[in-house]
Amino acid sequence: MAEAVENTEVEVEKKGGSNLLLIVVAVVLFLILIAGGVAGYLLLSEDEEVLNDANKAQQTQMVSSKKSSTTQSTRSTNYAEIGQMYPMEQFVVNLYSESGGRYLKAALNFEIAGEELAGELDAKKPLIRDIIIRSLSAKTYEEISTIKGKENLKDEIVIGVNEVISDGQINNLFFTDFVIQ
């Protein structure tokens, strides 16, 4: 009879020990998950800081290159004889800001020199849209809220697009829709 009591005590201790082991394993796994989440958050926030620093450096470089280039616009100002228009689809981009709370909706038309340029613009439309999106999204509200800011933006886009085309050139750019919110 004493042997039966000892066997039941050993079985109870084994069951209690396995429950305790499961609880310890669960707590350790929970702590590992929490530590992984914190580490992931810290790594992602560092990546965002690096991207923000890179964007600020790029903006500084663009501003300095604008200052070093001539202030004369490369766009045509002969509005009495406007050439053929090439419409672009609408763009909706976030403006550059710390909070990311503003966006720009813009539609534009290029004044092109010659019929042959329209075919090249069609072929290079994804590249041209990328140039325009990068130019628009690199601007702050303060930079493009003035007439001079819009004129500078037009110059930047025309120069950027003219660098990648070979069958002619863009003479001018006209915004047909420009909404900042």
Side-chain angles (χ1 to χ4, degrees):
M1 178 113 170
E3 263 181 42
V5 171
E6 285 181 26
N7 285 342
T8 56
E9 286 179 15
V10 170
E11 286 179 26
V12 169
E13 285 180 22
K14 287 182 182 178
K15 288 182 183 178
S18 65
N19 287 340
L20 182 62
L21 181 64
L22 285 175
I23 292 172
V24 169
V25 168
V27 168
V28 168
L29 287 175
F30 179 74
L31 291 175
I32 289 173
L33 286 174
I34 295 293
V38 169
Y41 174 77
L42 292 176
L43 289 174
L44 288 176
S45 66
E46 286 178 7
D47 288 345
E48 289 176 4
E49 290 174 10
V50 169
L51 287 174
N52 286 339
D53 292 342
N55 285 339
K56 287 179 185 177
Q58 182 182 14
Q59 277 190 327
T60 304
Q61 182 181 10
M62 289 174 66
V63 168
S64 65
S65 68
K66 283 182 191 175
K67 289 180 183 176
S68 66
S69 66
T70 60
T71 57
Q72 185 76 10
S73 174
T74 59
R75 294 180 293 115
S76 170
T77 56
N78 185 4
Y79 297 123
E81 297 179 19
I82 293 178
Q84 179 182 354
M85 291 292 171
Y86 183 86
M88 293 294 293
E89 296 171 14
Q90 184 175 8
F91 296 88
V92 178
V93 298
N94 289 323
L95 293 176
Y96 181 77
S97 71
E98 294 296 320
S99 65
R102 292 194 181 266
Y103 71 90
L104 167 67
K105 179 179 85 167
L108 55 98
N109 289 345
F110 289 122
E111 178 188 359
I112 60 175
E115 283 286 325
E116 65 278 353
L117 185 55
E120 184 179 6
L121 292 176
D122 285 336
K124 294 183 177 179
K125 192 172 259 190
L127 173 62
I128 293 168
R129 285 189 60 83
D130 181 62
I131 291 168
I132 295 168
I133 289 169
R134 283 187 287 141
S135 294
L136 294 174
S137 62
K139 300 298 179 197
T140 63
Y141 170 75
E142 291 76 21
E143 289 176 313
I144 60 173
S145 62
T146 64
I147 298 293
K148 183 173 174 75
K150 288 177 183 73
E151 294 298 318
N152 290 339
L153 179 60
K154 286 180 179 184
D155 288 337
E156 182 180 329
I157 292 171
V158 167
I159 290 168
V161 172
N162 279 336
E163 287 177 356
V164 298
I165 57 176
S166 59
D167 289 343
Q169 72 174 13
I170 304 293
N171 292 334
N172 209 339
L173 179 147
F174 300 99
F175 287 114
T176 56
D177 192 13
F178 198 90
V179 178
I180 301 172
Q181 192 166 15

